[in-house]
Amino acid sequence: MIKVITYGTYDLLHHGHIRLLERAKALGDYLIVGVTADDFDKTRGKINVQQSLEERIAAVQATGIADRVIVEEYEGQKIDDVRKYGVDIFTVGSDWIGYFDYLNEYCKVVYLPRTEGVSSSEIRAERSSLKLGMVGYSPFLEKFYNESKYVNAVDVIGICVPYDGVLHDLKDDLIVYNTDYDKLLDAVDAVYIHSHPKQHFEQCKYALEKGKHVLCESPLAMSKLECEKLFELARINGVTVMEANRTAYITAYERMLLLLKSGKIGKVVSVDATCTSLSLSTNTNWGSLESWGPTTMLPVFQILGTEYQDLRIFSMMSDDDKQDLFTKIDLTFSSATASIKVGTGVKSEGELIISGTKGYVFVPAPWWKTDYFELRYENPSDNKRFFYQVNGEGIRYELVALANAIREGNADFYISREITASIAGVMNEFETFKDRKRELL
């Protein structure tokens, strides 16, 4: 019996895939099909995959062509699979000619011609071309625009700035560049808002009322009540509102949360998160908590929940008393505690430490865009390290999540509504704290 093996993502299975599988099967008597895992696709830069691994496996099985379906999870697995399953022929499409010649040492390699005029990328582009506009004035929007080019489900076509001349380098690249929010909304399906946090609620509200999807930088609003109003407005108008907190969409961070839920370090009793950047101190409009607070609060609420019993704030203010240069917030839960430290005028090690009854998680700086973390135990020989590739600081994954949320209606898949509202609630408590502090002066 001649065994044949082939591999692919098989996203949005189409005629080209099926024709290639048929040709592969014709090379022998028994066909093994390897379907790439979600994480492995990400490490190869394939972030636009729209179907889950389970859906893609089911689609391949439904063709009735494969005798066996396996999952490809790591680099170098092809050699292991050829040996493990006694494969005689390895085959893939002709667009990979020469790339897998190294497998000739283990089996025969055959490159099959692909079906012209059809590809998953083209299908995805036709199916999900979301016209997106940007709102704000931060230089970060230039990075956001450049990273968006890697996501074929989204097309950033415009920007609304507070006054002409802001982010002028983008003007030649975009169809829409103006100071009129209405004109931008008329041209797009969705907006990404990266303005000052105190502008978020009104800008989100206006876009949702116009029937536009919204991806808004965290915090979504400055109070729980404002968040609830936005959620309801999105529901009424049949659109998506989603919080943009890039850390939530990074693979390493996702996997860390899963390991914690499986009890790898026992019961979590403490979460300590720190984010500081002196470069942000030149922006006098943003305080430390406005800049970094939502990022540090994300792991606290995702790991410990949102039902904290007490909250205590320490803050060092600027000389004009307008912005916090450093803020530390301690939260007490029924059986755990958390501490967040943020600063634009104070520098500290930007690490994340999660303490449990059996061990702890250490995520080095900058933990909010990490590709690496460690599980550490009493016995150092039990320690484990985890590495995951990150592309675009999470921006690409965030945009793919937005497109999927609009299509599937699961805007809170990565960040729950409860957590979004709780982050806004802490921002509101901090504003109250500042007002009281000023009254005492």
Side-chain angles (χ1 to χ4, degrees), residues 293-345:
T295 302
T296 54
M297 284 184 254
L298 181 69
V300 172
F301 291 141
Q302 287 191 318
I303 295 168
L304 300 179
T306 59
E307 298 297 322
Y308 57 89
Q309 298 174 338
D310 186 41
L311 179 149
R312 295 181 182 275
I313 302 172
F314 168 83
S315 207
M316 183 183 82
M317 304 299 292
S318 58
D319 291 339
D320 59 8
D321 203 39
K322 289 184 177 180
Q323 304 297 342
D324 62 312
L325 300 179
F326 175 81
T327 293
K328 182 175 185 289
I329 298 180
D330 295 312
L331 298 104
T332 303
F333 296 79
S334 60
S335 58
T337 184
S339 176
I340 67 171
K341 291 190 293 185
V342 294
T344 56

Side-chain angles (χ1 to χ4, degrees), residues 7-9 34-38 40-41 44 53 56 70-72:
Y7 296 84
T9 301
V35 181
T36 53
D38 297 329
F40 187 49
D41 272 328
R44 300 187 304 148
L53 175 61
R56 292 181 284 119
I70 61 174
V71 178
E72 185 180 21

Side-chain angles (χ1 to χ4, degrees), residues 332-358:
T332 303
F333 296 79
S334 60
S335 58
T337 184
S339 176
I340 67 171
K341 291 190 293 185
V342 294
T344 56
V346 171
K347 189 62 182 173
S348 186
E349 185 69 19
E351 61 189 15
L352 173 65
I353 298 177
I354 304 158
S355 305
T357 55
K358 295 180 181 178

Side-chain angles (χ1 to χ4, degrees), residues 14 36 43 57 238 240 253 290 311 346 353 358 373 396 413:
H14 53 71
T36 53
T43 64
I57 288 175
T240 295
Y253 181 80
E290 291 167 339
L311 179 149
V346 171
I353 298 177
K358 295 180 181 178
F373 65 89
R396 303 177 195 180
F413 181 81

Side-chain angles (χ1 to χ4, degrees), residues 231-280:
F231 297 153
E232 180 62 14
L233 194 57
R235 186 192 66 79
I236 291 172
N237 288 284
V239 291
T240 295
V241 59
M242 197 169 100
E243 184 175 8
N245 195 323
R246 290 176 297 284
T247 303
Y249 307 94
I250 291 176
T251 303
Y253 181 80
E254 290 181 68
R255 295 299 173 263
M256 181 198 72
L257 292 180
L258 292 175
L259 288 173
L260 290 173
K261 289 178 181 177
S262 66
K264 292 296 183 181
I265 63 168
K267 180 182 177 181
V268 176
V269 297
S270 177
V271 177
D272 297 282
T274 301
C275 292
T276 64
S277 177
L278 296 180
S279 63
L280 294 176

Side-chain angles (χ1 to χ4, degrees), residues 197 201-202 220-231:
F201 174 70
E202 291 298 334
L220 183 65
M222 293 298 283
S223 73
K224 284 187 176 183
L225 180 60
E226 287 181 344
C227 283
E228 294 300 334
K229 288 181 179 179
L230 294 178
F231 297 153

